[in-house]
Amino acid sequence: MLIHPQNIPDIPQQTVEVARASFPKGNIYMNIRDSLGSIFDSEAFADLFPENGQPAYAPWRLALVCIMQFMENLSDRQAANAVRGHIDWKYVLSLPLSDPGFDYSILSEFRTRLLAGGAEQKLLDILLHRLRESGTLKTHRRQRTDSTHVLAAIRTLNRLETLGEGMRFALDSLAVAAPEWLTINIQPDWFDRYGRRVENYRLPKLDSEREALGSTIGVDGLALLDAIYEPTAPQWLRQIPAVEILRQIWVQQFYTPEPDGSIKWRSVKDLPPSTIAIHSPHDVEAHYSSKRSVDWVGYKVHMTEICDEHSPRFITNVHTTLSTITDEQAIEPIHESLEEKSLLPKEHLVDCGYPTSENLVSSKTKYDVEIIGPVRLDPSWQTKAQLGFDSSNFQIDWDHEKVTCPQGHQSTKWLAGHDISGKPLIRVRFNGSICRTCPVRSSCTKSKTEPRELSLLPKEQQIALQARRQEQQTPEWKATYNQRAGIESTHSQGLRRSGLRRSRYIGLKKTHLMHVFIACALNLVRLDAWLVGIPLAQTRSSRFKQLQPQGA
């Protein structure tokens, strides 16, 4: 398909008249069209389509439909039907009332083109640009970010189910790609074990029987892989994704086969870490993760929004990651993306998972962004017990590489090195004979013979960390940081309105595209609320909590 250059058509007069009669006070879609126009134009997506071929359905319309689809949490088929049957959708899309719409499969094809062209972020960028041009996105000085977990579009499988499904997935793929070869190499009892979906309720209940079945599946998979890797087998069989996934699962779940051909499950301590472990053959990027009391298999999404009082709380950035990526690792790519949009904040409110000493310094020096979020307290026993001398009681002379203890004694060793993760770390040690005779030794160290030692970060990081630990105890800082909690309502709105919690699609890239659609959808919902004067909802509290006196 190809795109012919064309201007955005005006809304047909009949569509306008019927829409105004049906919605005399307007509605969200009509308000959006009247305030922002068509938002997109087809030229923005021209590079996603070939120069020759059948004319494509207007991409600017498809982009809007994809966003409106998530405003209503509709399936592709429901969204295509809405284009045919909803007057307000025809209004925003400049369609006559008699327009027959399009086949719902076009939406999937459009999403594929966006991903293939790396244009998924373009949708949010164009919308934010239009909001700035219209004057509704007025300021972005203060923004806030938080993450929430996203469930993958797969079943949660236990180890035995993962083995059975991995084998079944490989056999199904080979049945399509190489049916003649598979017919020759298949074993008769495989039809009983892998002919239908492997589900836990059909599997043995006793641990000994489950282990025996797992070993049997392991032998089956090994036999299939041996046949595929035979020199006489077609080389391209090894390139089938399901075959490679099967090989990886077998490496992760089994030890090397014994000389007699038997195979043994790996013990729990020998299983791979969750960062690489495959939990379903149908989505190898969906990993297991745990945060506080929540365990899930899937992904994680970071939403960033404006929290200035004089602007709608537009979402400015969406960052989707693997579930095993920590929050502190997301700060740099979030700031990089905001810089590309010229939407960097001066103050960035985040929770305790994001700020590290390194992030506090790099964000300020590289992006001129102040991260406002609590850092972890000093882990020393002195800080926890609130007695004795922690690192803040020592005076550091960075120029001369000396540290003075509360009793006025200077350190004797200053060793620059790295911690176990490879990050710079300075180890400071005091004189042993002086420490052993110090009258306040019990307040400084619990060691009976060794002198006091300190672990320091590089100068800029150590100073920033100590300053934040003191600053976050002040009422002024706490009052500013309290505004971060509002980002939770964005997650709630995304869950309730757009189905944010569970991905519709397989894989990280497709899940991120879904999150971009949701961000655009919520921005349009918030724009409409701002235009019609709907106030922000107040944080709800129980009737009992409302009885608590102010300031108590």
Side-chain angles (χ1 to χ4, degrees):
M1 293 190 294
L2 78 163
I3 298 176
H4 291 300
Q6 57 180 322
N7 296 323
I8 303 298
D10 294 331
I11 306 172
Q13 185 61 34
Q14 184 184 26
T15 302
V16 174
E17 293 175 356
V18 175
R20 294 297 180 193
S22 302
F23 305 98
K25 295 183 179 180
N27 74 353
I28 182 171
Y29 299 110
M30 297 169 65
N31 293 339
I32 290 169
R33 178 57 192 262
D34 293 341
S35 60
L36 294 182
S38 63
I39 302 179
F40 305 101
D41 58 63
S42 294
E43 284 71 19
F45 307 98
D47 57 336
L48 306 181
F49 294 81
E51 296 182 358
N52 300 308
Q54 180 182 356
Y57 196 84
W60 72 270
R61 288 193 174 111
L62 292 176
L64 276 176
V65 171
C66 286
I67 293 173
M68 295 190 296
Q69 173 182 6
F70 282 92
M71 292 171 68
E72 305 289 347
N73 198 18
L74 304 176
S75 66
D76 287 355
R77 190 185 296 271
Q78 290 171 327
N81 287 337
V83 173
R84 278 188 285 271
H86 293 189
I87 297 172
D88 49 353
W89 282 47
K90 290 183 181 295
Y91 184 96
V92 76
L93 297 172
S94 296
L95 293 175
L97 297 179
S98 59
D99 186 85
F102 54 84
D103 186 83
Y104 71 94
S105 62
I106 291 180
L107 293 175
S108 176
E109 180 185 339
F110 181 65
R111 291 193 298 267
T112 301
R113 291 185 182 277
L114 288 173
L115 291 171
E120 58 269 27
Q121 196 63 39
K122 183 182 291 187
L123 296 166
L124 181 59
D125 293 347
I126 293 174
L127 175 58
L128 291 172
H129 179 70
R130 290 289 296 116
L131 292 172
R132 296 178 79 168
E133 286 184 336
S134 67
T136 48
L137 201 168
K138 302 175 183 178
T139 176
H140 51 85
R141 178 182 178 276
R142 178 176 291 173
Q143 299 182 42
R144 56 195 177 197
T145 296
D146 198 11
S147 65
T148 190
H149 64 282
V150 178
L151 305 177
I154 55 175
R155 289 187 299 142
T156 301
L157 306 177
N158 57 40
R159 286 185 70 180
L160 190 54
E161 287 176 309
T162 301
L163 295 176
E165 279 295 285
M167 186 67 176
R168 188 176 72 91
F169 184 43
L171 290 173
D172 279 347
S173 299
L174 288 168
V176 174
E180 296 84 2
W181 179 90
L182 183 60
T183 301
I184 299 173
N185 291 274
I186 201 170
Q187 298 181 13
D189 54 350
W190 287 3
F191 291 104
D192 293 333
R193 279 196 286 274
Y194 314 113
R196 58 181 179 177
R197 191 167 73 170
V198 179
E199 296 181 288
N200 194 53
Y201 77 91
R202 295 195 184 104
L203 302 178
K205 301 300 183 285
L206 296 178
D207 290 344
S208 58
E209 294 178 350
R210 294 174 71 89
E211 185 173 353
L213 176 59
S215 298
T216 300
I217 296 175
V219 172
D220 291 345
L222 190 62
L224 180 61
L225 289 171
D226 285 343
I228 291 173
Y229 280 84
E230 279 286 337
T232 57
Q235 295 288 314
W236 56 267
L237 291 178
R238 307 171 191 178
Q239 309 303 320
I240 297 175
V243 171
E244 175 59 20
I245 292 171
L246 179 70
R247 187 193 66 81
Q248 293 181 27
I249 292 176
W250 257 237
V251 170
Q252 293 181 2
Q253 296 292 339
F254 296 104
Y255 292 111
T256 303
E258 300 293 333
D260 61 357
S262 63
I263 192 168
K264 184 180 178 182
W265 286 35
R266 287 183 179 271
S267 63
V268 174
K269 65 184 179 80
D270 287 336
L271 289 175
S274 59
T275 52
I276 62 173
I278 296 175
H279 293 276
S280 171
H282 306 292
D283 189 350
V284 296
E285 293 181 299
H287 298 300
Y288 169 84
S289 191
S290 178
K291 185 175 182 180
R292 292 188 285 272
S293 61
V294 178
D295 301 326
W296 79 100
V297 174
Y299 304 94
K300 188 186 292 185
V301 60
H302 303 258
M303 292 280 193
T304 302
E305 70 176 10
I306 296 170
C307 56
D308 289 331
E309 295 181 357
H310 305 295
S311 176
R313 295 179 178 176
F314 292 127
I315 297 170
T316 56
N317 192 71
V318 178
H319 183 56
T320 309
T321 70
L322 301 177
S323 64
T324 52
I325 300 297
T326 61
D327 290 350
E328 66 184 62
Q329 295 174 281
I331 279 288
E332 172 69 21
I334 289 173
H335 286 167
E336 182 179 354
S337 179
L338 289 171
E339 184 181 44
E340 293 174 357
K341 302 184 184 80
S342 299
L343 285 173
L344 275 173
K346 288 295 183 182
E347 298 176 341
H348 194 176
L349 281 63
V350 293
D351 68 15
C352 62
Y354 293 87
T356 62
S357 58
E358 186 177 0
N359 286 338
L360 290 175
V361 174
S362 62
S363 295
K364 190 66 177 177
T365 56
K366 188 174 181 179
Y367 299 103
D368 193 25
V369 174
E370 180 183 0
I371 296 179
I372 300 179
V375 297
R376 293 177 176 85
L377 297 178
D378 190 331
S380 65
W381 65 266
Q382 296 93 339
T383 299
K384 294 178 180 178
Q386 295 187 347
L387 54 87
F389 306 120
D390 60 22
S391 59
S392 64
N393 298 116
F394 291 75
Q395 301 297 319
I396 306 173
D397 184 349
W398 296 97
D399 296 332
H400 297 91
E401 297 184 348
K402 292 289 184 180
V403 178
T404 304
C405 76
Q407 293 298 103
H409 304 294
Q410 287 191 339
S411 59
T412 57
K413 291 185 178 180
W414 177 290
L415 302 175
H418 297 84
D419 61 14
I420 57 175
S421 61
K423 295 182 179 180
L425 187 70
I426 300 169
R427 292 179 172 85
V428 176
R429 188 180 177 92
F430 287 84
N431 185 282
S433 59
I434 294 177
C435 279
R436 281 191 288 270
T437 59
C438 181
V440 294
R441 178 181 175 83
S442 61
S443 298
C444 197
T445 180
K446 289 185 176 181
S447 175
K448 297 185 180 300
T449 59
E450 295 297 319
R452 176 66 186 268
E453 295 184 356
L454 291 177
S455 295
L456 303 178
L457 298 169
K459 179 180 179 180
E460 293 78 8
Q461 296 182 29
Q462 185 71 27
I463 293 175
L465 186 63
Q466 293 287 13
R468 176 54 52 85
R469 284 172 174 167
Q470 296 176 6
E471 184 184 18
Q472 67 191 33
Q473 304 302 323
T474 63
E476 295 79 12
W477 188 92
K478 292 180 180 179
T480 300
Y481 178 68
N482 282 342
Q483 297 181 51
R484 185 215 65 86
I487 190 67
E488 307 291 349
S489 64
T490 297
H491 292 161
S492 177
Q493 187 180 28
L495 300 180
R496 291 180 289 104
R497 180 149 197 155
S498 303
L500 177 65
R501 178 64 72 217
R502 179 177 289 277
S503 176
R504 294 186 179 193
Y505 315 119
I506 298 294
L508 179 63
K509 290 184 66 175
K510 291 183 180 180
T511 300
H512 174 63
L513 177 60
M514 167 185 159
H515 294 156
V516 172
F517 287 144
I518 291 176
C520 293
L522 296 185
N523 279 346
L524 294 181
V525 170
R526 295 178 176 194
L527 171 64
D528 178 66
W530 179 270
L531 293 174
V532 300
I534 299 176
L536 294 173
Q538 298 297 314
T539 302
R540 290 174 289 184
S541 60
S542 67
R543 297 297 295 271
F544 173 72
K545 183 69 175 178
Q546 294 173 18
L547 297 177
Q548 182 178 6
Q550 293 291 331

